[in-house]
Amino acid sequence: MQKVEVYQCELDKSIPLEYIGTVKYSGVSFGVEGLTSGKEYVIVKNRSGLLAVVDDSEEDYLYDLSNPRPADGTSPGGKFKVIDDPLGILAGLVE
């Protein structure tokens, strides 16, 4: 199992989280620390066991993998394309 270090602001340190894969985001960029169109993002399994995206904040956040967008609805969001999926987990979750 591959691990990556991901910063956790509430702990003020990085912790190892399980690497699930890498995706590329295309669509409307949103937030200063959200998602940027054309950028690749690492997917990890967070401390709760959920799949999370290490976004521009360099922390892990939950995004809808089939239509990533801000939770407040201020952007229509976009799509992820799978770049790396060593465990075969992302193929069925990302359109």
Side-chain angles (χ1 to χ4, degrees):
M1 171 177 21
Q2 184 179 351
K3 299 277 187 170
V4 292
E5 292 288 321
V6 179
Y7 183 73
Q8 305 291 296
C9 67
E10 70 274 6
L11 302 174
D12 194 28
K13 67 178 185 177
S14 293
I15 63 169
L17 294 176
E18 182 182 352
Y19 173 81
I20 300 300
T22 303
V23 295
K24 185 173 185 176
Y25 175 73
S26 63
V28 177
S29 299
F30 57 89
V32 175
E33 296 183 333
L35 299 175
T36 302
S37 190
K39 190 169 178 184
E40 292 184 9
Y41 295 95
V42 170
I43 307 295
V44 295
K45 188 177 287 187
N46 70 14
R47 293 182 295 168
S48 300
L50 301 172
L51 298 184
V53 179
V54 180
D55 66 10
D56 292 343
S57 72
E58 298 184 3
E59 295 186 68
D60 59 294
Y61 284 96
L62 300 176
Y63 288 97
D64 181 343
L65 294 176
S66 64
N67 182 13
R69 61 190 179 281
D72 63 7
T74 56
S75 168
K79 293 182 178 185
F80 285 129
K81 176 184 177 187
V82 177
I83 303 298
D84 183 40
D85 189 13
L87 304 173
I89 293 172
L90 297 175
L93 301 174
V94 175
E95 294 180 3

